[in-house]
Amino acid sequence: MKLGTVFPDYNVKTTAGDLSLHEYWGEGWGIFFTHPADYTPVCTTELAMVEKMAEEFAKRNVKMIALSCDSVESHIGWTEDIKKYSGGKFSYPIIDDTSRTLAVELGMLDADEKDAAGLPLTARAVFIVGPDKKLKLSILYPATTGRNFDEILRVIDSLQLTAYKKVATPANWQSGGECMVLPSVTGDAAKELFPGMRVEELPSGKGYMRFTPQPQ
């Protein structure tokens, strides 16, 4: 999928019943993240970590939904193992994609990693969807590499900030850190919007490195 396109409103079978993705996410932000299979070690640590961080996602008005290429019945059994690593809780749905329909349509198969039947495993995809239901970010990890959900929270903070303020976030930015004024904001408008703006002197003499405290 391309950034800025509307994420498909799939009707899915999940551990929480049949859902429409768009209705499930409502007016907030959504994260759709995929897993190679149930009862696998890396996936178990990932789903447990997301559960441990559930309050942080909720603070940002983000609802999570996971996908694995196994049945709802398998997912339900698996969540009991996940709870051992998540503090005894599991609060978000897992999609049944036994047909691999969504994995194929969204280009989430890892050709280098195969299951016991010789079929490609589902890669570890992350799709972040905005309140307008458009894709804001996608990350694709191989099946063998677990995701860093602290980084995903950081990205959400950046996406939510830059969606409403005329700033960008620099390398390794963390919430509360300095931001950069967008090049499209020029002259007096920049000074008015960002009274604390500072402009770095550069060998080129061009004043494009403009920093500002994070807007509130």
Side-chain angles (χ1 to χ4, degrees):
M1 284 195 65
K2 294 182 179 179
L3 297 183
T5 59
V6 174
F7 197 85
D9 186 17
Y10 291 115
N11 291 302
V12 292
K13 183 179 179 182
T14 82
T15 51
D18 294 345
L19 298 174
S20 150
L21 285 182
H22 287 193
E23 288 182 9
Y24 171 68
W25 286 326
E27 300 301 315
W29 292 69
I31 290 185
F32 180 103
F33 66 115
T34 65
H35 300 271
D38 294 358
Y39 298 104
T40 52
V42 176
C43 299
T44 301
T45 64
E46 289 186 318
L47 271 74
M49 181 56 66
V50 169
E51 181 60 42
K52 287 180 180 179
M53 299 170 74
E55 289 186 8
E56 291 300 320
F57 287 111
K59 285 178 189 175
R60 294 160 173 82
N61 197 22
V62 176
K63 293 184 79 172
M64 314 289 292
I65 192 164
L67 175 147
S68 179
C69 291
D70 288 298
S71 68
V72 164
E73 292 74 20
S74 175
H75 296 342
I76 290 170
W78 182 33
T79 58
E80 294 305 311
D81 289 352
I82 295 167
K83 288 177 183 177
K84 178 174 180 179
Y85 298 94
S86 68
K89 299 179 181 178
F90 195 81
S91 60
Y92 57 91
I94 307 175
I95 295 169
D96 176 333
D97 193 33
T98 48
S99 66
R100 297 181 178 233
T101 301
L102 273 65
V104 171
E105 286 187 13
L106 294 172
M108 301 184 300
L109 296 179
D110 184 346
D112 290 334
E113 298 293 332
K114 305 287 198 305
D115 65 12
L119 296 172
L121 291 174
T122 305
R124 300 182 191 283
V126 179
F127 298 103
I128 299 181
V129 179
D132 57 3
K133 304 301 178 285
K134 292 181 179 179
L135 182 65
K136 304 302 181 184
L137 178 138
S138 64
I139 312 174
L140 192 62
Y141 296 73
T144 50
T145 301
R147 284 160 282 203
N148 183 328
F149 286 94
D150 287 326
E151 167 62 6
I152 291 170
L153 276 179
R154 188 192 76 88
V155 164
I156 290 167
D157 287 339
S158 174
L159 290 170
Q160 293 185 341
L161 174 66
T162 59
Y164 305 110
K165 304 295 183 180
K166 295 181 183 297
V167 294
T169 55
N172 294 343
W173 174 86
Q174 297 289 335
S175 182
E178 277 194 318
C179 300
M180 307 189 82
V181 179
L182 292 177
S184 59
V185 182
T186 59
D188 291 339
K191 294 176 183 177
E192 183 177 343
L193 283 172
F194 307 107
M197 180 180 71
R198 64 180 179 83
V199 182
E200 293 250 342
E201 292 187 8
L202 299 169
S204 67
K206 299 181 184 294
Y208 61 90
M209 296 295 285
R210 300 180 300 171
F211 294 85
T212 183
Q214 179 175 319
Q216 300 302 314

Short mmCIF file of all heavy atoms in Angstrom, two decimals, residues 29 31 53 55-62 128 136-137 149-165 167-169 173-177 179 214-215:
data_model
loop_
_atom_site.label_atom_id
_atom_site.label_comp_id
_atom_site.label_asym_id
_atom_site.label_seq_id
_atom_site.Cartn_x
_atom_site.Cartn_y
_atom_site.Cartn_z
N TRP A 29 -6.96 6.79 15.90
CA TRP A 29 -5.88 6.20 15.11
C TRP A 29 -5.92 4.69 15.25
O TRP A 29 -6.43 4.17 16.24
CB TRP A 29 -4.53 6.72 15.60
CG TRP A 29 -4.32 8.18 15.32
CD1 TRP A 29 -4.97 9.23 15.90
CD2 TRP A 29 -3.39 8.75 14.39
NE1 TRP A 29 -4.50 10.42 15.39
CE2 TRP A 29 -3.54 10.16 14.47
CE3 TRP A 29 -2.44 8.22 13.52
CZ2 TRP A 29 -2.77 11.03 13.70
CZ3 TRP A 29 -1.68 9.08 12.75
CH2 TRP A 29 -1.85 10.47 12.83
N ILE A 31 -3.69 0.86 14.57
CA ILE A 31 -2.49 0.10 14.19
C ILE A 31 -2.93 -1.32 13.84
O ILE A 31 -3.65 -1.97 14.61
CB ILE A 31 -1.44 0.07 15.30
CG1 ILE A 31 -0.83 1.46 15.47
CG2 ILE A 31 -0.33 -0.94 14.97
CD1 ILE A 31 0.32 1.52 16.47
N MET A 53 1.99 -2.25 26.96
CA MET A 53 2.02 -0.83 26.58
C MET A 53 0.64 -0.30 26.22
O MET A 53 0.51 0.80 25.69
CB MET A 53 2.99 -0.64 25.41
CG MET A 53 4.42 -1.05 25.73
SD MET A 53 5.50 -1.09 24.27
CE MET A 53 5.73 0.66 23.98
N GLU A 55 -1.79 1.04 27.83
CA GLU A 55 -2.17 2.35 28.35
C GLU A 55 -1.51 3.47 27.55
O GLU A 55 -2.13 4.53 27.34
CB GLU A 55 -1.78 2.47 29.82
CG GLU A 55 -2.64 1.62 30.75
CD GLU A 55 -2.33 1.87 32.21
OE1 GLU A 55 -1.55 2.81 32.52
OE2 GLU A 55 -2.86 1.13 33.06
N GLU A 56 -0.28 3.26 27.12
CA GLU A 56 0.41 4.28 26.32
C GLU A 56 -0.28 4.48 24.97
O GLU A 56 -0.43 5.60 24.49
CB GLU A 56 1.88 3.91 26.11
CG GLU A 56 2.72 3.97 27.37
CD GLU A 56 2.74 5.36 27.98
OE1 GLU A 56 2.83 6.35 27.22
OE2 GLU A 56 2.67 5.47 29.21
N PHE A 57 -0.69 3.38 24.34
CA PHE A 57 -1.42 3.51 23.07
C PHE A 57 -2.77 4.19 23.30
O PHE A 57 -3.18 5.05 22.51
CB PHE A 57 -1.60 2.14 22.42
CG PHE A 57 -0.32 1.58 21.84
CD1 PHE A 57 0.30 0.49 22.41
CD2 PHE A 57 0.26 2.16 20.71
CE1 PHE A 57 1.48 -0.03 21.88
CE2 PHE A 57 1.44 1.65 20.17
CZ PHE A 57 2.05 0.56 20.75
N ALA A 58 -3.44 3.83 24.39
CA ALA A 58 -4.75 4.43 24.67
C ALA A 58 -4.64 5.94 24.90
O ALA A 58 -5.51 6.71 24.48
CB ALA A 58 -5.39 3.75 25.89
N LYS A 59 -3.56 6.38 25.58
CA LYS A 59 -3.34 7.82 25.79
C LYS A 59 -3.28 8.58 24.47
O LYS A 59 -3.63 9.75 24.40
CB LYS A 59 -2.01 8.05 26.54
CG LYS A 59 -2.03 7.72 28.01
CD LYS A 59 -0.63 7.96 28.58
CE LYS A 59 -0.50 7.45 29.99
NZ LYS A 59 0.90 7.58 30.49
N ARG A 60 -2.82 7.90 23.44
CA ARG A 60 -2.66 8.52 22.12
C ARG A 60 -3.86 8.27 21.22
O ARG A 60 -3.82 8.56 20.03
CB ARG A 60 -1.37 7.99 21.48
CG ARG A 60 -0.11 8.43 22.23
CD ARG A 60 1.08 7.55 21.92
NE ARG A 60 2.32 8.05 22.48
CZ ARG A 60 2.71 7.88 23.74
NH1 ARG A 60 1.95 7.22 24.60
NH2 ARG A 60 3.86 8.37 24.17
N ASN A 61 -4.93 7.71 21.79
CA ASN A 61 -6.16 7.40 21.05
C ASN A 61 -5.89 6.45 19.90
O ASN A 61 -6.38 6.62 18.78
CB ASN A 61 -6.81 8.69 20.53
CG ASN A 61 -8.27 8.49 20.13
OD1 ASN A 61 -8.92 7.54 20.58
ND2 ASN A 61 -8.77 9.35 19.27
N VAL A 62 -5.08 5.42 20.18
CA VAL A 62 -4.71 4.41 19.18
C VAL A 62 -5.32 3.07 19.60
O VAL A 62 -5.17 2.64 20.73
CB VAL A 62 -3.18 4.26 19.08
CG1 VAL A 62 -2.81 3.14 18.12
CG2 VAL A 62 -2.53 5.56 18.65
N ILE A 128 0.13 2.02 10.27
CA ILE A 128 -0.48 3.03 11.14
C ILE A 128 -1.45 3.84 10.29
O ILE A 128 -1.08 4.39 9.25
CB ILE A 128 0.58 3.94 11.79
CG1 ILE A 128 1.53 3.09 12.65
CG2 ILE A 128 -0.10 5.02 12.65
CD1 ILE A 128 2.61 3.88 13.35
N LYS A 136 -0.68 6.23 7.16
CA LYS A 136 0.30 7.26 7.51
C LYS A 136 1.72 6.71 7.54
O LYS A 136 2.68 7.46 7.33
CB LYS A 136 -0.04 7.84 8.89
CG LYS A 136 -1.44 8.40 9.00
CD LYS A 136 -1.72 9.49 7.98
CE LYS A 136 -3.13 10.04 8.13
NZ LYS A 136 -3.44 11.05 7.08
N LEU A 137 1.88 5.42 7.83
CA LEU A 137 3.21 4.83 7.93
C LEU A 137 3.09 3.32 7.79
O LEU A 137 2.13 2.72 8.24
CB LEU A 137 3.85 5.18 9.27
CG LEU A 137 5.24 4.59 9.55
CD1 LEU A 137 6.15 5.60 10.21
CD2 LEU A 137 5.12 3.35 10.44
N PHE A 149 8.55 -1.70 19.92
CA PHE A 149 7.31 -0.95 20.07
C PHE A 149 7.52 0.40 20.74
O PHE A 149 6.66 1.28 20.64
CB PHE A 149 6.26 -1.81 20.79
CG PHE A 149 5.71 -2.88 19.88
CD1 PHE A 149 6.25 -4.15 19.89
CD2 PHE A 149 4.68 -2.60 19.00
CE1 PHE A 149 5.77 -5.14 19.03
CE2 PHE A 149 4.19 -3.56 18.14
CZ PHE A 149 4.74 -4.85 18.16
N ASP A 150 8.66 0.62 21.37
CA ASP A 150 9.01 1.98 21.81
C ASP A 150 9.18 2.87 20.58
O ASP A 150 8.76 4.04 20.60
CB ASP A 150 10.30 1.97 22.63
CG ASP A 150 10.11 1.38 24.01
OD1 ASP A 150 9.02 1.57 24.60
OD2 ASP A 150 11.05 0.73 24.51
N GLU A 151 9.79 2.35 19.54
CA GLU A 151 9.95 3.12 18.30
C GLU A 151 8.59 3.40 17.65
O GLU A 151 8.35 4.49 17.13
CB GLU A 151 10.86 2.37 17.33
CG GLU A 151 10.88 2.90 15.91
CD GLU A 151 11.39 4.33 15.75
OE1 GLU A 151 11.87 4.93 16.75
OE2 GLU A 151 11.32 4.86 14.63
N ILE A 152 7.69 2.44 17.72
CA ILE A 152 6.36 2.66 17.13
C ILE A 152 5.61 3.75 17.91
O ILE A 152 4.95 4.60 17.31
CB ILE A 152 5.59 1.33 17.07
CG1 ILE A 152 6.27 0.43 16.02
CG2 ILE A 152 4.12 1.55 16.72
CD1 ILE A 152 5.79 -0.99 16.00
N LEU A 153 5.74 3.78 19.23
CA LEU A 153 5.15 4.88 20.00
C LEU A 153 5.77 6.22 19.61
O LEU A 153 5.07 7.23 19.48
CB LEU A 153 5.35 4.65 21.50
CG LEU A 153 4.36 3.77 22.24
CD1 LEU A 153 4.76 3.67 23.70
CD2 LEU A 153 2.93 4.30 22.11
N ARG A 154 7.10 6.23 19.44
CA ARG A 154 7.79 7.46 19.04
C ARG A 154 7.26 7.97 17.69
O ARG A 154 7.01 9.16 17.51
CB ARG A 154 9.29 7.20 18.97
CG ARG A 154 10.15 8.45 18.75
CD ARG A 154 11.57 8.08 18.39
NE ARG A 154 11.67 7.65 17.01
CZ ARG A 154 11.86 8.48 15.97
NH1 ARG A 154 11.99 9.78 16.18
NH2 ARG A 154 11.91 8.02 14.75
N VAL A 155 7.07 7.04 16.77
CA VAL A 155 6.57 7.40 15.45
C VAL A 155 5.15 7.95 15.54
O VAL A 155 4.81 8.93 14.86
CB VAL A 155 6.63 6.16 14.52
CG1 VAL A 155 5.78 6.35 13.29
CG2 VAL A 155 8.07 5.87 14.12
N ILE A 156 4.32 7.35 16.37
CA ILE A 156 2.95 7.85 16.55
C ILE A 156 2.99 9.28 17.09
O ILE A 156 2.24 10.16 16.63
CB ILE A 156 2.15 6.93 17.47
CG1 ILE A 156 1.87 5.61 16.76
CG2 ILE A 156 0.84 7.59 17.90
CD1 ILE A 156 1.36 4.53 17.68
N ASP A 157 3.86 9.53 18.07
CA ASP A 157 3.98 10.89 18.61
C ASP A 157 4.34 11.88 17.50
O ASP A 157 3.79 12.98 17.43
CB ASP A 157 5.03 10.94 19.71
CG ASP A 157 4.57 10.29 21.00
OD1 ASP A 157 3.34 10.17 21.20
OD2 ASP A 157 5.43 9.92 21.82
N SER A 158 5.27 11.49 16.63
CA SER A 158 5.67 12.36 15.53
C SER A 158 4.52 12.56 14.54
O SER A 158 4.23 13.69 14.12
CB SER A 158 6.88 11.77 14.81
OG SER A 158 7.20 12.54 13.66
N LEU A 159 3.86 11.47 14.16
CA LEU A 159 2.75 11.57 13.21
C LEU A 159 1.63 12.46 13.74
O LEU A 159 1.07 13.28 13.00
CB LEU A 159 2.20 10.17 12.90
CG LEU A 159 3.09 9.25 12.07
CD1 LEU A 159 2.51 7.83 12.07
CD2 LEU A 159 3.24 9.76 10.65
N GLN A 160 1.30 12.29 15.01
CA GLN A 160 0.20 13.08 15.57
C GLN A 160 0.57 14.54 15.71
O GLN A 160 -0.26 15.43 15.49
CB GLN A 160 -0.23 12.49 16.91
CG GLN A 160 -0.86 11.11 16.75
CD GLN A 160 -1.40 10.53 18.04
OE1 GLN A 160 -1.03 10.95 19.13
NE2 GLN A 160 -2.28 9.55 17.93
N LEU A 161 1.82 14.81 16.05
CA LEU A 161 2.28 16.21 16.15
C LEU A 161 2.31 16.88 14.79
O LEU A 161 1.76 17.97 14.60
CB LEU A 161 3.68 16.24 16.78
CG LEU A 161 4.36 17.61 16.82
CD1 LEU A 161 3.62 18.56 17.74
CD2 LEU A 161 5.82 17.46 17.26
N THR A 162 2.93 16.22 13.82
CA THR A 162 3.14 16.85 12.51
C THR A 162 1.87 16.89 11.66
O THR A 162 1.80 17.62 10.68
CB THR A 162 4.26 16.14 11.74
OG1 THR A 162 3.92 14.75 11.56
CG2 THR A 162 5.58 16.22 12.49
N ALA A 163 0.84 16.12 12.07
CA ALA A 163 -0.44 16.19 11.36
C ALA A 163 -1.14 17.52 11.61
O ALA A 163 -1.94 17.96 10.77
CB ALA A 163 -1.34 15.03 11.80
N TYR A 164 -0.84 18.15 12.75
CA TYR A 164 -1.58 19.36 13.13
C TYR A 164 -0.70 20.60 13.29
O TYR A 164 -1.21 21.72 13.35
CB TYR A 164 -2.34 19.09 14.44
CG TYR A 164 -3.24 17.88 14.34
CD1 TYR A 164 -2.95 16.71 15.03
CD2 TYR A 164 -4.37 17.90 13.53
CE1 TYR A 164 -3.76 15.59 14.93
CE2 TYR A 164 -5.19 16.79 13.42
CZ TYR A 164 -4.88 15.63 14.11
OH TYR A 164 -5.69 14.53 14.00
N LYS A 165 0.61 20.43 13.37
CA LYS A 165 1.52 21.56 13.53
C LYS A 165 2.46 21.60 12.32
O LYS A 165 2.80 20.58 11.75
CB LYS A 165 2.34 21.42 14.82
CG LYS A 165 1.51 21.27 16.08
CD LYS A 165 0.70 22.53 16.39
CE LYS A 165 -0.08 22.37 17.70
NZ LYS A 165 -0.87 23.58 18.01
N VAL A 167 5.47 21.50 11.55
CA VAL A 167 6.83 21.10 11.91
C VAL A 167 7.12 19.70 11.40
O VAL A 167 6.21 18.93 11.05
CB VAL A 167 7.06 21.14 13.44
CG1 VAL A 167 6.97 22.57 13.97
CG2 VAL A 167 6.09 20.22 14.17
N ALA A 168 8.41 19.38 11.37
CA ALA A 168 8.88 18.02 11.12
C ALA A 168 9.74 17.62 12.31
O ALA A 168 10.18 18.48 13.08
CB ALA A 168 9.67 17.96 9.83
N THR A 169 9.99 16.32 12.47
CA THR A 169 10.81 15.87 13.60
C THR A 169 12.14 15.32 13.08
O THR A 169 12.15 14.51 12.15
CB THR A 169 10.07 14.79 14.42
OG1 THR A 169 9.67 13.71 13.57
CG2 THR A 169 8.84 15.39 15.08
N TRP A 173 14.49 12.05 17.17
CA TRP A 173 13.61 12.92 17.96
C TRP A 173 12.82 12.11 18.98
O TRP A 173 12.40 10.99 18.72
CB TRP A 173 12.64 13.64 17.02
CG TRP A 173 11.59 14.46 17.70
CD1 TRP A 173 11.69 15.75 18.12
CD2 TRP A 173 10.25 14.04 18.01
NE1 TRP A 173 10.50 16.16 18.69
CE2 TRP A 173 9.61 15.13 18.64
CE3 TRP A 173 9.54 12.85 17.84
CZ2 TRP A 173 8.29 15.08 19.07
CZ3 TRP A 173 8.23 12.78 18.28
CH2 TRP A 173 7.61 13.89 18.89
N GLN A 174 12.62 12.69 20.14
CA GLN A 174 11.74 12.15 21.17
C GLN A 174 10.72 13.22 21.54
O GLN A 174 11.00 14.41 21.45
CB GLN A 174 12.54 11.73 22.41
CG GLN A 174 13.55 10.63 22.17
CD GLN A 174 12.92 9.27 21.94
OE1 GLN A 174 11.79 9.02 22.38
NE2 GLN A 174 13.64 8.39 21.26
N SER A 175 9.56 12.79 21.97
CA SER A 175 8.51 13.74 22.34
C SER A 175 9.03 14.74 23.35
O SER A 175 9.65 14.37 24.36
CB SER A 175 7.31 12.98 22.92
OG SER A 175 6.27 13.88 23.24
N GLY A 176 8.79 16.02 23.08
CA GLY A 176 9.29 17.10 23.93
C GLY A 176 10.56 17.73 23.42
O GLY A 176 10.96 18.80 23.88
N GLY A 177 11.19 17.09 22.44
CA GLY A 177 12.44 17.62 21.89
C GLY A 177 12.21 18.68 20.82
O GLY A 177 11.07 18.92 20.40
N CYS A 179 11.90 20.56 17.37
CA CYS A 179 11.37 20.20 16.06
C CYS A 179 11.97 21.13 15.01
O CYS A 179 12.69 22.07 15.33
CB CYS A 179 9.85 20.32 16.04
SG CYS A 179 9.03 19.26 17.26
N GLN A 214 9.12 22.22 20.71
CA GLN A 214 7.95 21.47 20.26
C GLN A 214 6.67 22.27 20.51
O GLN A 214 6.41 22.71 21.64
CB GLN A 214 7.85 20.13 20.98
CG GLN A 214 6.63 19.31 20.57
CD GLN A 214 6.63 17.94 21.20
OE1 GLN A 214 7.64 17.28 21.30
NE2 GLN A 214 5.45 17.49 21.66
N PRO A 215 5.87 22.50 19.47
CA PRO A 215 4.61 23.24 19.68
C PRO A 215 3.65 22.45 20.58
O PRO A 215 3.64 21.22 20.57
CB PRO A 215 4.03 23.36 18.26
CG PRO A 215 5.17 23.04 17.34
CD PRO A 215 6.07 22.13 18.08
#
